[in-house]
Amino acid sequence: MSSFRLPSLLVAVLVAACAQTTIKNSWKAAEDTGPALRKVLVVGVTKRADVRRTFEDTFAAELKAKGIEAILSYESEPDLGPEGAERLKVLVGKTGADGVLVTRLVKRERKLDYVPGAPPPAYVGMNMYGYYPRAWAGYYDPPMMVESEIVIAEVNLFRASSEKLVWAATTETFAPSDIAASTKDFAKVVITALSKDKLL
């Protein structure tokens, strides 16, 4: 009988990487009784045009997969900045969007997680030559601290007819080294939450 065990650090990294984005907190306007939104203007707030395009393209694709019409704000307003509120209002009216989804990066931070040492493998039924190399496993697999990068983002959904905020959330995304993959995961998590709250 043999036993195989991944190192604790590798297990921790694999688990974290599989769950890239999580919603840390969210809020829904209790007074909002409007219908589910069917035409959403997607706005990425960032100074980097490439990141904005990736975000809006990916979010639009995920919305369309749910049967929701999505409008890319960068196509009509490629340089929409801090002074662009009036231009955004005109764009909403021109496109006929019933919802506006605005996302912005809040901050990046380093996070330290404690990973306990793994218990020794099972030895029942193992002969002494199979056991001996595994006897060292506990000694060389001590507890450790694992550092990772976390991106915190803010998501706000407005109903165009009332211009009021109807849903907001703060998200955490783990180690977003691949912007495209991380954005797709981020979009899926947010859209699933919005659907659950019957806003989409």
Side-chain angles (χ1 to χ4, degrees):
M1 178 179 177
S2 63
S3 176
F4 174 74
R5 180 162 55 102
L6 285 172
S8 297
L9 176 58
L10 179 57
V11 171
V13 171
L14 289 175
V15 169
C18 289
Q20 285 192 324
T21 297
T22 56
I23 292 180
K24 304 309 292 183
N25 55 70
S26 64
W27 167 88
K28 180 186 177 184
E31 68 276 10
D32 181 68
T33 57
L37 302 171
R38 306 308 301 169
K39 191 173 186 179
V40 178
L41 176 65
V42 182
V43 183
V45 177
T46 174
K47 294 180 180 179
R48 287 185 54 181
D50 58 330
V51 173
R52 180 184 174 190
R53 286 194 301 270
T54 298
F55 164 76
E56 294 188 15
D57 287 342
T58 305
F59 234 105
E62 294 299 323
L63 285 168
K64 288 174 183 176
K66 292 283 187 181
I68 299 161
E69 186 175 352
I71 305 161
L72 305 168
S73 68
Y74 76 79
E75 287 187 337
S76 298
E77 292 288 353
D79 59 346
L80 193 64
E83 307 301 323
E86 284 302 316
R87 287 157 58 193
L88 180 60
K89 186 174 183 178
V90 170
L91 182 58
V92 171
K94 184 169 66 175
T95 59
D98 57 3
V100 181
L101 185 71
V102 183
T103 298
R104 72 182 186 95
L105 173 67
V106 176
K107 64 178 177 178
R108 291 175 179 265
E109 62 181 32
R110 294 284 178 178
K111 184 178 180 182
L112 283 174
D113 291 305
Y114 173 76
V115 180
Y123 303 124
V124 177
M126 188 181 298
N127 66 31
M128 65 179 179
Y129 300 111
Y131 157 77
Y132 181 76
R134 291 167 176 78
W136 296 85
Y139 183 79
Y140 284 111
D141 196 15
M144 63 189 72
M145 299 299 293
V146 179
E147 184 181 49
S148 58
E149 184 183 47
I150 300 294
V151 169
I152 300 173
E154 179 183 278
V155 185
N156 292 303
L157 179 67
F158 296 84
R159 189 175 292 280
S161 58
S162 64
E163 301 181 0
K164 289 185 177 180
L165 181 68
V166 294
W167 191 88
T170 302
T171 66
E172 282 190 0
T173 301
F174 169 83
S177 56
D178 185 331
I179 297 296
S182 298
T183 303
K184 186 172 183 177
D185 181 70
F186 172 80
K188 284 180 179 293
V189 169
V190 171
I191 290 171
T192 297
L194 288 170
S195 299
K196 185 178 179 181
D197 283 340
K198 304 186 185 307
L199 287 164
L200 297 177

